[in-house]
Amino acid sequence: LVQRKDTGQYATMGGFVEVGESSAETVVRELKEEMNIDIELDELTLFGIYSDPKRDARRHTASIAYAVDVPEDIAGRAGDNAAKV
């Protein structure tokens, strides 16, 4: 979990896919940006895809969740949008 800088609330780490980027590449980039953790694409496991149009009242988005095992000796550090990890 990360604590968001803008609201102070805790949230799962995430972000939007950039043009030309796969969802898995987004996870690798966002882990680096938000938690300063480096991983490889082959370390990701697809967990689920959530796309019900009624899931979020603000707008219709799809969330793609991945799981990754981070070794115990690697500690995340707050990055660009995170106040605390």
Side-chain angles (χ1 to χ4, degrees), residues 15-31:
F16 289 99
V17 176
E18 293 182 354
V19 174
E21 187 177 57
S22 71
S23 60
E25 290 167 333
T26 301
V27 173
V28 171
R29 176 179 54 78
E30 288 289 342
L31 268 173

Side-chain angles (χ1 to χ4, degrees), residues 62-75:
S63 293
I64 304 171
Y66 287 87
V68 62
D69 287 322
V70 178
E72 289 182 26
D73 62 328
I74 296 178

Side-chain angles (χ1 to χ4, degrees), residues 27-68:
V27 173
V28 171
R29 176 179 54 78
E30 288 289 342
L31 268 173
K32 179 65 176 174
E33 289 177 1
E34 294 190 18
M35 300 179 77
N36 290 300
I37 294 175
D38 291 305
I39 62 163
E40 300 294 327
L41 286 172
D42 63 356
E43 296 178 79
L44 297 172
T45 302
L46 181 63
F47 184 80
I49 300 172
Y50 307 93
S51 61
D52 184 332
K54 298 177 194 135
R55 186 177 69 85
D56 189 330
R58 297 171 295 177
R59 64 181 151 234
H60 182 192
T61 59
S63 293
I64 304 171
Y66 287 87
V68 62

